[in-house]
Each structure stands twice: as C-alpha cells, then as structure tokens.
Amino acid sequence: MPRRAAHDRAITILARARATTIQGDTMTTPMRAPGSGLIRAGRILTIVGGIILVLGIAAGTILSVVGFSQVTGVVEDGTRFTGSTELTLETGQQVQLYVHRNDVAPLCEVTDENGDEPVGGPSQSSTINGWRSFDMFTATRAGTYTITCSDETEVLAAEPLSIGGIFSAVGGILIGVFVGGLGLLLLVVGVILLLIGRSQAKRTPGF
C-alpha cells in the first residue's frame, strides 16, 4: 500500500507539471485574430494594384500623346498646294505625297534644279487626318525640288508617316488598357479580401 500511494502521488505530480507546461505554452502563443490574414493580403493587393493602375494609365497616356502628336505633326508641318509647288530639301530627305481620302490621286512629276528626277521610294499606304498617301520620292542632292501635278486636286507634300509615332500611339493605348487593367483587377481583389477579412473579424466575439 505505501508503494502504491507513492506511485499515485508521483503520477499526480507529473500530471500537474504537464498541465502547467501546456498552459504556459498556450499563454505564450497568442491566437491570431480571425480574418487578419485576409485583411493583410487585401491591404497589400490594394496598395500594389493602385500603384500599378496609376502608373499604367500615366505611362499609356504619355506614350499615346507623344505618338499622336508625331502623327498629326506630319500634316501640320507639310505643304499644301494645287498644281505645283517648290520644296527645299536636304540630301536623302524623303517626301510623301497625300490627297484627301475621297479624292482621286493626280499624276505628279518631281524634278530638281537640273531638271533631273529624284529617286522614287516605296509609297507606303497610310491615312492620316483625312489624307491618303499615293506617292513618295527621296532627294538625291540638296536643293530646290519642283512638284507638278496634273490637275487642281489639293495635294499635301510632307514627310512619311512616322512608324515610331504609330507604335508609340498604339503601344500607349495597349499599356493603358492591359497594365491599367491588371492594376484595377488587383485593386478589386484586394478590396474584396479586406471586406471578407473584416466581416470574419466582426462575427468572432473576443477579437
């Protein structure tokens, strides 16, 4: 009997010590509030999405404005004429001839000061602000060039349409749409996670 009583007391002491250890560990490890992980993730996605949205719209707008200004500058800086006109060009400078979109392109002859014709170039098909290209030439030497067209159709002589301007304008639109759209998506997901996390926190008493 004395041995059994001593054995029982030892078991009781060990049980109490184990319970004290478990209680201490529980006290030193605080429970995470319900929904706190969703709230944190929502805040991060909201901030990142907002930044991407603003940057995407800003970059897309800047590129589009620069690109469209280059494209519209072709018409503004060109020379409009009917019949004939003279242009002072540098060696290698290219000139594109345009007519109004619905007009029939006239036959035009280009000569330099010596009466020689310059080098013809590939006439890229492009339409800009209601003008349609139909011919192109490259100055073989610096000097004055005379352009003579067959009828009284109004013609625009200007530099070729900038491919870089076109890519800049189109690229700006695409960046604004896709990058801005990605930012908006992250922003919406972040707000949803915030709402869900806060809802879980409110439904749980004691937090």
Side-chain angles (χ1 to χ4, degrees):
M1 294 296 293
R3 290 183 179 179
R4 184 184 182 96
H7 183 267
D8 291 341
R9 284 196 298 272
I11 293 176
T12 301
I13 293 172
L14 289 174
R16 289 177 178 177
R18 183 178 180 182
T20 302
T21 302
I22 294 175
Q23 184 178 4
D25 292 341
T26 302
M27 294 178 63
T28 56
T29 307
M31 294 182 62
R32 175 179 294 183
S36 60
L38 292 176
I39 293 175
R40 181 182 179 185
R43 287 174 178 170
I44 294 174
L45 288 179
T46 301
I47 294 173
V48 173
I51 293 174
I52 293 177
L53 176 62
V54 172
L55 291 179
I57 293 176
T61 301
I62 292 173
L63 285 176
S64 296
V65 170
V66 172
F68 282 118
S69 65
Q70 292 179 358
V71 172
T72 57
V74 171
V75 175
E76 295 175 357
D77 298 336
T79 300
R80 301 186 185 188
F81 68 96
T82 55
S84 66
T85 189
E86 292 184 346
L87 300 177
T88 302
L89 305 175
E90 299 295 332
T91 302
Q93 186 172 352
Q94 293 181 325
V95 176
Q96 187 94 39
L97 300 181
Y98 303 83
V99 292
H100 290 288
R101 180 180 301 172
N102 297 324
D103 289 348
V104 178
L107 296 175
C108 296
E109 181 182 11
V110 183
T111 56
D112 60 14
E113 297 171 336
N114 299 325
D116 298 327
E117 294 184 358
V119 177
S123 180
Q124 63 180 28
S125 178
S126 57
T127 302
I128 172 175
N129 288 359
W131 292 89
R132 174 175 53 86
S133 64
F134 69 93
D135 202 357
M136 178 180 176
F137 68 91
T138 303
T140 54
R141 62 174 66 91
T144 301
Y145 287 77
T146 302
I147 305 174
T148 304
C149 296
S150 58
D151 55 34
E152 296 301 313
T153 301
E154 186 178 26
V155 176
L156 171 68
E159 64 181 17
L161 189 61
S162 172
I163 301 300
I166 297 175
F167 279 118
S168 178
V170 175
I173 295 174
L174 294 178
I175 289 176
V177 171
F178 289 103
V179 177
L182 175 61
L184 179 61
L185 176 63
L186 294 177
L187 181 62
V188 171
V189 173
V191 171
I192 293 175
L193 292 179
L194 275 174
L195 295 176
I196 295 175
R198 290 175 179 175
S199 177
Q200 290 181 357
K202 289 180 180 179
R203 289 199 305 265
T204 305
F207 291 96

